[in-house]
Amino acid sequence: MFFFQPDSLFLCLYILIFLQFTTCTTSQEMYKRIKFALQAEEHKGESIFAADEGHLRNDRSRDSNLPPTWQDFCTLKGTENNGTLLSYECSIDGFSSGRWNFSQLRDYISAKHFKYAFDVQCRNNSNISFPFNGKARNIVKLHVRDCIATDYYSDFQNADLDKIPDELEEVVLINVQRVISVKAMMKNLQIKPENIPRNVNCGDEDTLKVKIERNESYSFVGNLPNISTFITIASSNIINKRISSQKCSFKNLQLLETSAQSSRSRYFAEFLTESNRFPELRILNISHSSLYYVPEQFKNWIIYFPKLEYLDMSHNKIQDIVLSMPKDYDPTSARLTLDLTFNDIRQISVRFLEKIVLARHLYVIIDNNPINCSCTDQMRDVLEYIRDTDWNSVKYERHQYIRDLKCQFPENIKGRRLRDLTDNDIGCGFKMLPIIVVLSILICFLLIFLFLIIRYRLQIRLFCAQRLSGISSDNSIDMDAEKSFKFDALICHGLFDEEWARSTFIENRHKLLSHLKLGFYREDATDQKNNFEKLIDQMKSSKYVVVLLSRQFLEGEFLTPGFQEALQQSNEHLTRKRSILVLMDDIPTQEETICLRRSLQTFTCIHKNDTRFTDKFLYLLSSKGDLAWCEYNEGNRQQYVAI
């Protein structure tokens, strides 16, 4: 028989996950602590120490209410209930280690007419023999501290336990380490739960009022058989246990504590509630247990603990909690106090605090958590909530502790209460959100404005020119500055465009054009030489030359060298280009020539069907800056983009 080494991790894993044992020790350092327990298992009924005169205290008088020699380590401290309850204090040290034996005690006092209360305190890694759910006649209180307990499975097949009435009212196990034989464990794991005596599983379920298991741990000795066999047996046992019809009902249990565990089975809440009933439980303590969350069974406590008043989950690692109304909640039942102090709750919000305040069925305590008070909108709202709330009102008075919660982070305000903090203290001297919103809106409007400016730049340019530059029926052309010109514009057109020219510029012209002095030139093939000389003179005496460019005009004068020369000379007369092309038709690609292409790229163009023809025409005649040019698109020759 030996102590398990770290390669027995599978065994510990099973114990932690399936059997609810909360601490599994597999380190060689623990060997010294349990060596006396191993000797006790190998030599049942024998003392592990020599009974010499120095060790056995023969000077003490014999106590007939205890087994022989027990007066060496157990002392009567007093009586209760009119002398019917004997209270003993037992001090177990190296000299008495292994001699306190629960089975021996049970057999000896079963016929007594007294009730017993034992307070067992171990020192120097001493051990006692104490089986799981130890049950005995006449024992009503049992406290065990700092002991190594052996014989865990010794009562698992003891059918006589069902003949013993329930009498134990209070059992307290603190810092007890259970030493378990692997051989005994493998043997008993194969027993179906329904074949195990009920009193082994449930103990004194009818009379037990207080049950405390604090910092209880488990160690294993012996050789582990084939791992796969063990896993098969263990898995089968846990399944049988969960589906077993045998349920323990602790009818009078009011305080249950299973705390100070370095690790927890992920199924511990299921094990606690599936196989047990707690109709009268008032206090449940699961503190110091490395829990990261509140199990669903505790959120709906009313189902499993209908009279629970205090749930202690302090000193865990819970970071967040979700509060909800439990199913089947009776408003007339007692309010539950949920103690979440000394956890890892870092973030709080107004919504969370309001839920705490408004929960009629629940009183939540979140003192002493490492609250992060760094500058966030959420924390700023919390501070405003703390300042503006009337904590003396009926609604809030029982939660006044909330305003006294202390910050853990950041370091510069560590330890300060929420009620004493301002926005400046947490680094929120000004509110960023309104500024960000305003800037975002301004940026959106600016982007829209820029888009409209770019999209409708021509219309805006024309509008500004007309409204701000004084283009009107009376003053669109600066006549004083341009007195040297005979005409504001010379209209050059072909024979087929004469009707449109007269209709547009003479007969039905817009009132905005009425003030203009317009000259007209029509192609004439009879005397080209004189005509071109006359044309050159007219062009030079006109501020602008407007050419109505149509297919017929292209076939006629526009492409002749004489007409091109006249345009060239008229343009050279001034320092800026002043020729305007009015496109009467979409010029087909095949009709373009090098001369025409150059003209389209050089001169300013307007299409006769342009909806803003009059505005653009006036703008071109009044413009004092460089004119916009026609954009010549090689990819789509049918489209000419005007200014």
Side-chain angles (χ1 to χ4, degrees):
M1 187 175 295
F2 63 92
F3 193 70
F4 265 176
Q5 297 300 311
D7 59 356
S8 61
L9 180 61
F10 284 106
L11 176 61
C12 283
L13 185 61
Y14 170 79
I15 298 303
L16 288 173
I17 295 179
F18 295 106
L19 290 187
Q20 311 173 66
F21 296 163
T22 55
T23 302
C24 177
T25 307
T26 57
S27 169
Q28 184 64 36
E29 296 178 359
M30 291 299 299
Y31 183 75
K32 288 184 179 181
R33 188 174 178 189
I34 67 168
K35 65 178 180 179
F36 298 122
L38 302 182
Q39 294 173 0
E41 286 198 350
E42 293 176 346
H43 305 287
K44 295 287 191 256
E46 299 180 12
S47 174
I48 60 172
F49 295 98
D52 54 55
E53 292 182 359
H55 296 158
L56 296 178
R57 304 162 203 175
N58 294 325
D59 57 332
R60 292 192 179 181
S61 59
R62 173 79 170 87
D63 187 344
S64 60
N65 294 317
L66 293 175
T69 72
W70 277 48
Q71 69 275 5
D72 294 340
F73 48 84
C74 291
T75 305
L76 181 63
K77 288 300 181 181
T79 62
E80 300 177 28
N81 299 338
N82 297 323
T84 60
L85 176 60
L86 305 179
S87 180
Y88 282 93
E89 184 177 277
C90 300
S91 179
I92 312 299
D93 55 19
F95 299 108
S96 53
S97 181
R99 294 172 62 189
W100 196 97
N101 187 295
F102 187 83
S103 298
Q104 181 186 5
L105 178 64
R106 175 172 56 201
D107 294 340
Y108 186 82
I109 67 174
S110 61
K112 299 293 183 180
H113 299 289
F114 299 101
K115 303 299 180 184
Y116 289 82
F118 287 95
D119 187 351
V120 182
Q121 177 78 46
C122 294
R123 296 178 177 84
N124 302 323
N125 297 325
S126 52
N127 69 84
I128 63 174
S129 173
F130 182 53
F132 172 72
N133 277 342
K135 184 170 185 177
R137 190 187 299 271
N138 294 327
I139 298 181
V140 295
K141 292 183 180 180
L142 178 60
H143 292 202
V144 180
R145 291 179 174 83
D146 304 321
C147 294
I148 297 176
T150 62
D151 299 324
Y152 183 86
Y153 285 106
S154 61
D155 279 347
F156 259 56
Q157 299 182 55
N158 188 354
D160 292 336
L161 292 184
D162 285 338
K163 300 176 183 179
I164 300 177
D166 293 349
E167 295 189 56
L168 186 64
E169 297 178 2
E170 184 175 313
V171 57
V172 177
L173 306 178
I174 300 176
N175 299 329
V176 174
Q177 181 179 356
R178 297 280 192 176
V179 177
I180 299 176
S181 166
V182 174
K183 181 179 180 181
M185 182 179 68
M186 292 297 296
K187 179 180 179 181
N188 288 280
L189 282 180
Q190 300 180 59
I191 304 174
K192 291 186 177 181
E194 53 267 24
N195 294 331
I196 297 176
R198 182 179 181 86
N199 279 327
V200 172
N201 282 327
C202 303
D204 298 82
E205 57 180 323
D206 290 340
T207 57
L208 196 61
K209 297 179 180 179
V210 176
K211 184 177 182 180
I212 297 176
E213 296 175 342
R214 186 182 303 161
N215 193 28
E216 192 173 20
S217 59
Y218 296 83
S219 297
F220 305 90
V221 292
N223 293 315
L224 182 67
N226 183 273
I227 291 295
S228 60
T229 302
F230 169 74
I231 294 176
T232 300
I233 294 174
S235 301
S236 176
N237 175 268
I238 192 59
I239 293 173
N240 291 333
K241 191 173 183 179
R242 295 192 67 175
I243 66 176
S244 173
S245 59
Q246 188 180 90
K247 309 294 181 183
C248 301
S249 180
F250 296 91
K251 301 176 182 178
N252 292 290
L253 186 63
Q254 297 190 16
L255 188 156
L256 174 60
E257 176 181 336
T258 168
S259 64
Q261 313 294 345
S262 59
S263 58
R264 280 282 185 190
S265 163
R266 60 181 298 185
Y267 303 111
F268 91 96
E270 286 85 346
F271 283 122
L272 182 64
T273 56
E274 285 179 353
S275 302
N276 302 293
R277 299 291 180 265
F278 304 97
E280 296 294 327
L281 189 65
R282 305 304 172 99
I283 300 174
L284 177 59
N285 186 342
I286 313 182
S287 61
H288 297 86
S289 296
S290 301
L291 292 177
Y292 289 88
Y293 64 97
V294 179
E296 287 297 324
Q297 288 78 4
F298 298 159
K299 293 178 184 178
N300 296 298
W301 80 89
I302 202 71
I303 300 175
Y304 308 101
F305 315 102
K307 295 187 178 180
L308 190 63
E309 297 177 3
Y310 188 84
L311 175 56
D312 187 354
M313 299 191 72
S314 63
H315 295 89
N316 281 292
K317 299 179 181 180
I318 298 171
Q319 298 180 349
D320 189 23
I321 59 173
V322 178
L323 301 178
S324 60
M325 179 70 73
K327 300 176 182 178
D328 303 324
Y329 172 69
D330 181 3
T332 62
S333 63
R335 180 184 289 116
L336 173 68
T337 296
L338 176 59
D339 188 347
L340 292 173
T341 58
F342 296 99
N343 272 277
D344 196 28
I345 299 174
R346 297 171 179 261
Q347 303 295 331
I348 58 175
S349 64
V350 173
R351 182 179 179 184
F352 170 72
L353 296 178
E354 272 295 295
K355 280 190 174 183
I356 290 179
V357 171
L358 297 176
R360 295 180 297 113
H361 61 290
L362 199 60
Y363 178 64
V364 183
I365 307 175
I366 56 173
D367 278 337
N368 297 293
N369 276 277
I371 298 175
N372 189 341
C373 299
S374 298
C375 177
T376 61
D377 290 338
Q378 181 174 281
M379 179 52 61
R380 188 163 46 221
D381 292 341
V382 168
L383 295 185
E384 184 177 356
Y385 174 80
I386 296 294
R387 290 192 298 266
D388 297 344
T389 299
D390 181 7
W391 295 99
N392 293 317
S393 64
V394 176
K395 177 181 177 182
Y396 295 99
E397 61 180 353
R398 71 189 183 102
H399 292 90
Q400 290 189 10
Y401 80 91
I402 290 178
R403 59 181 180 170
D404 293 323
L405 294 176
K406 295 182 179 180
C407 299
Q408 183 70 18
F409 306 101
E411 191 66 27
N412 62 312
I413 56 174
K414 181 178 180 179
R416 295 187 60 182
R417 299 179 301 177
L418 293 180
R419 65 191 299 182
D420 298 329
L421 294 177
T422 64
D423 289 352
N424 288 330
D425 293 329
I426 64 175
C428 295
F430 59 93
K431 295 186 176 181
M432 288 295 298
L433 183 59
I435 297 176
I436 293 174
V437 171
V438 171
L439 289 177
S440 300
I441 294 175
L442 289 177
I443 290 173
C444 289
F445 276 111
L446 180 60
L447 292 175
I448 294 173
F449 179 74
L450 291 176
F451 172 78
L452 294 177
I453 289 291
I454 296 173
R455 175 65 177 82
Y456 299 102
R457 61 187 183 279
L458 175 60
Q459 289 82 349
I460 294 173
R461 185 177 179 184
L462 291 174
F463 176 82
C464 292
Q466 187 177 16
R467 295 294 183 267
L468 301 179
S469 299
I471 299 177
S472 65
S473 59
D474 298 325
N475 189 25
S476 63
I477 304 294
D478 189 349
M479 301 303 295
D480 293 335
E482 305 292 347
K483 289 180 179 180
S484 59
F485 294 112
K486 182 179 180 181
F487 301 108
D488 293 324
L490 176 65
I491 311 299
C492 301
H493 60 87
L495 180 63
F496 293 96
D497 301 322
E498 184 176 6
E499 182 178 354
W500 183 87
R502 287 185 174 276
S503 174
T504 302
F505 296 109
I506 298 177
E507 298 175 359
N508 299 317
R509 64 179 177 177
H510 194 276
K511 63 180 181 178
L512 293 176
L513 305 178
S514 61
H515 64 285
L516 296 175
K517 293 181 179 180
L518 303 176
F520 292 87
Y521 169 79
R522 190 189 69 182
E523 62 177 342
D524 188 354
T526 58
D527 188 2
Q528 289 188 355
K529 180 177 180 180
N530 293 330
N531 282 341
F532 281 124
E533 291 178 354
K534 179 181 178 182
L535 174 62
I536 291 175
D537 292 338
Q538 288 181 340
M539 286 183 175
K540 290 182 179 180
S541 62
S542 300
K543 185 177 181 181
Y544 289 96
V545 177
V546 179
V547 179
L548 305 186
L549 192 62
S550 63
R551 288 189 179 92
Q552 291 78 9
F553 197 72
L554 287 173
E555 295 171 354
E557 291 193 24
F558 184 80
L559 297 181
T560 62
F563 190 84
Q564 293 295 325
E565 182 180 355
L567 283 177
Q568 180 67 25
Q569 291 184 22
S570 67
N571 283 330
E572 290 176 352
H573 184 68
L574 295 175
T575 58
R576 59 185 176 87
K577 293 180 173 57
R578 55 193 188 87
S579 299
I580 301 172
L581 299 182
V582 177
L583 303 179
M584 305 298 291
D585 302 294
D586 292 329
I587 308 301
T589 302
Q590 60 272 18
E591 296 183 10
E592 291 183 7
T593 64
I594 295 176
C595 178
L596 175 60
R597 185 177 303 175
R598 184 181 299 114
S599 298
L600 291 173
Q601 293 176 342
T602 303
F603 302 146
T604 303
C605 304
I606 315 176
H607 200 287
K608 77 167 186 177
N609 294 326
D610 194 319
T611 56
R612 302 295 302 275
F613 177 84
T614 302
D615 291 335
K616 292 181 179 180
F617 184 76
L618 282 173
Y619 174 74
L620 292 174
L621 295 185
S622 63
S623 176
K624 300 182 185 308
D626 290 337
L627 298 177
W629 311 109
C630 287
E631 296 182 10
Y632 182 73
N633 190 336
E634 289 285 351
N636 188 352
R637 299 171 186 265
Q638 295 297 321
Q639 294 185 4
Y640 297 96
V641 182
I643 58 172

